[in-house]
Amino acid sequence: MFSLKEKFKSKIKALRTKVRMIVKEYGNVKISDVTVTQAYGGIRNVKCIITETSAVDPYKGVRFRGYTIPELRERLPRASGGEEPLPEGMFYLLLTGELPTKKDVEEITKEWRKRSTLPKYLINILKTVPKDTHPMTQFSIAILSLQKDSIFTQKYKIGMNKADYWDPMFEDTMNLLAKLPLIAAYIYRRAYKNNKYISVNPHLDWGGNLAHMLGVKEEEFKELMRLYLVIHCDHEGGNVSAHTTHLVGSALSDAYYALSAGINGLAGPLHGLANQEVLRWIMKLIRDLGETLTQEQLKKYIWDTLNAGQIIPGYGHAVLRQTDPRYLIQREFALKAKNPWPNVDALSGCLLYHYGIKEFDFYTVLFGVSRAIGVLSSLILDRALGLPIERPKSITTESLEELVKKPPKQKF
Ligand code: MLT
């Protein structure tokens, strides 16, 4: 058996026992209350989802299995001659909770390469989609189209022990992750490069190959892609793409259904689409005011935008109350990369733009390729833990009014 799968399998029993014990011993302990404001306000801060792969501290940012981004930049294996961590290693870490060796990572690269070929039917489907369809729509269609090959669904139909659900989920995830860079590059080259496709380089890793197939020649861009795919992969379980993937998967929908749904959530301007919106906003600012604007002009422009009831994309976050460490690491990369086009506030977009990926609408697809690593790792874990279908209770405004107006004693 492929050693990542072996390693994951060896951890399942202990994890199940631990969770069973926690539920048995502490099942009635309250971990969160819900206020009326939270119920109407996006369920902010209500602790009610279990996600093992990462956690976000409002003041320190994301930790992946307990590790910060700078720690992982040091400790995850890199491509030979490279300085940035390989996303394959992140997948290993998120799934098992352990840091991979170079050999572990090479094995994943090899396995994904083996599984990466796109079926003819998928290409035929994509060819029928109008080229000006948003790349995120195309990406979601491509993922969903592959559902016909879901091993989970095939095995479920035949009949499977619940304890084994994680196994075909693992296989579907491997097949899907292997194909995502090819799908992304296909969509990009078809929409923007006159159908001129670039074949896989069998000597490159997953992220390096994505950079290569997009058509950017600079070696540095391969490094950027590796870093980009690592840092965008997970942001605990409550964000829209992670929660959606988890929710849809909880109905035992397979990885294709679940990821496609998660990607649809990522396509929203308040979530993943923000990185295209940031650059669009900056380009408009430059068009309106020119490149040599003063601080005062910038301040006025920002206030005018806010006073018109619009947002400044790329600023603010549902959870974070400090500068996002994912921003900081990209800034570090940007400074190393010979000063890309001068605004460092919208770095993912700025960096992509700097290397010639100038089609903003495509940016969120790259986010989606990365996010798949995190949300699919969690999906495998969900099945290993046998988590049930998610079904929170909803109430109407009328019944809520009744509930809150009752004297406290009878409230619950
Ligand atoms: C993410 O990476 O998912 C975003 O920062 C949004 C979030 O965490 O809510």
Side-chain angles (χ1 to χ4, degrees):
M1 196 193 269
F2 173 49
S3 60
L4 169 60
K5 193 170 176 184
E6 192 88 69
K7 165 73 77 182
F8 181 72
K9 190 175 178 193
S10 73
K11 298 199 156 238
I12 295 176
K13 200 170 160 216
L15 191 61
R16 280 182 186 153
T17 309
K18 187 175 178 178
V19 171
R20 230 176 274 136
M21 190 280 285
I22 292 175
V23 174
K24 190 165 170 239
E25 296 247 319
Y26 308 103
N28 289 324
V29 175
K30 211 193 265 183
I31 53 171
S32 232
D33 286 316
V34 187
T35 64
V36 172
T37 308
Q38 286 169 316
Y40 278 108
I43 332 177
R44 292 282 165 87
N45 262 324
V46 179
K47 295 190 196 86
C48 59
I49 307 175
I50 306 294
T51 302
E52 312 291 348
T53 48
S54 67
V56 177
D57 178 290
Y59 298 98
K60 294 183 185 142
V62 64
R63 296 273 192 289
F64 300 98
R65 289 286 193 170
Y67 294 100
T68 63
I69 291 175
E71 280 164 358
L72 290 179
R73 213 177 182 199
E74 281 302 310
R75 300 178 68 173
L76 283 180
R78 305 160 180 177
S80 82
E83 287 180 19
E84 302 302 340
L86 288 166
E88 289 91 324
M90 192 58 140
F91 179 59
Y92 187 103
L93 173 70
L94 294 189
L95 199 57
T96 65
E98 288 183 27
L99 287 168
T101 62
K102 202 164 168 42
K103 194 163 156 276
D104 293 326
V105 164
E106 280 167 5
E107 207 183 346
I108 299 174
T109 303
K110 229 165 92 195
E111 195 64 29
W112 283 353
R113 204 177 289 140
K114 240 174 37 200
R115 299 171 186 238
S116 68
T117 313
L118 300 185
K120 188 102 198 329
Y121 74 80
L122 174 64
I123 302 293
N124 288 339
I125 289 172
L126 286 176
K127 275 185 183 159
T128 65
V129 178
K131 276 191 184 177
D132 61 350
T133 301
H134 194 282
M136 282 300 274
T137 314
Q138 299 192 46
F139 193 46
S140 178
I141 289 172
I143 293 165
L144 194 58
S145 307
L146 288 169
Q147 191 279 331
K148 85 175 204 55
D149 294 330
S150 166
I151 298 172
F152 181 88
T153 298
Q154 283 159 27
K155 294 228 161 143
Y156 189 82
K157 237 191 247 170
I158 300 166
M160 197 181 8
N161 188 318
K162 280 183 187 165
D164 299 330
Y165 284 172
W166 69 270
D167 185 315
M169 197 57 98
F170 178 91
E171 293 301 328
D172 279 349
T173 291
M174 292 294 284
N175 288 336
L176 194 39
L177 287 176
K179 291 176 173 47
L180 293 182
L182 280 92
I183 294 173
Y186 183 86
I187 292 170
Y188 180 73
R189 304 287 307 179
R190 178 171 173 265
Y192 308 115
K193 302 290 166 188
N194 265 331
N195 298 315
K196 291 206 173 76
Y197 304 103
I198 299 168
S199 317
V200 172
N201 176 343
H203 306 295
L204 279 174
D205 52 281
W206 193 71
N209 238 320
L210 174 56
H212 158 76
M213 289 184 292
L214 289 174
V216 178
K217 298 257 177 329
E218 285 103 315
E219 279 305 302
E220 268 177 14
F221 185 67
K222 294 190 180 65
E223 285 284 87
L224 173 64
M225 269 298 98
R226 290 166 187 137
L227 178 66
Y228 183 101
L229 295 169
V230 162
I231 64 176
H232 287 82
C233 74
D234 213 32
H235 214 233
E236 71 174 36
N239 67 72
V240 171
S241 49
H243 188 200
T244 307
T245 308
H246 166 77
L247 171 67
V248 173
S250 83
L252 293 190
S253 302
D254 58 50
Y256 301 91
Y257 281 127
L259 181 65
S260 173
I263 291 297
N264 295 346
L266 194 70
L270 292 185
H271 192 20
L273 213 72
N275 68 2
Q276 87 169 46
E277 294 307 307
V278 164
L279 208 54
R280 204 187 298 285
W281 188 84
I282 292 167
M283 293 303 230
K284 185 170 177 313
L285 165 82
I286 304 272
R287 262 197 321 274
D288 291 349
L289 297 182
E291 288 195 26
T292 49
L293 67 172
T294 64
Q295 233 180 5
E296 272 317 300
Q297 278 177 305
L298 181 60
K299 204 165 157 183
K300 180 172 178 324
Y301 192 85
I302 289 171
W303 273 116
D304 287 350
T305 306
L306 293 173
N307 290 334
Q310 292 167 23
I311 58 155
I312 312 288
Y315 284 83
H317 194 276
V319 180
L320 293 171
R321 294 293 167 262
Q322 281 286 347
T323 303
D324 190 335
R326 298 172 296 178
Y327 162 86
L328 293 173
I329 207 81
Q330 289 188 94
R331 186 170 190 279
E332 208 181 291
F333 188 99
L335 293 175
K336 208 172 62 170
K338 303 179 211 93
N339 193 15
W341 188 70
N343 195 308
V344 287
D345 294 336
L347 277 169
S348 54
C350 270
L351 281 163
L352 293 169
Y353 196 91
H354 172 73
Y355 286 105
I357 306 288
K358 297 193 172 174
E359 302 80 4
F360 312 156
D361 282 2
F362 182 71
Y363 293 174
T364 314
V365 172
L366 297 175
F367 191 164
V369 174
S370 172
R371 184 49 56 99
I373 298 177
V375 299
L376 292 177
S377 304
S378 279
L379 205 59
I380 300 169
L381 278 152
D382 291 350
R383 294 293 74 79
L385 284 172
L387 297 185
I389 188 165
E390 215 171 76
R391 179 48 171 101
K393 177 86 187 114
S394 74
I395 52 173
T396 62
T397 295
E398 208 179 11
S399 56
L400 182 130
E401 237 180 338
E402 245 175 64
L403 189 71
V404 292
K405 284 181 181 164
K406 272 186 193 163
K409 255 189 167 170
Q410 297 165 28
K411 246 187 199 171
F412 297 102

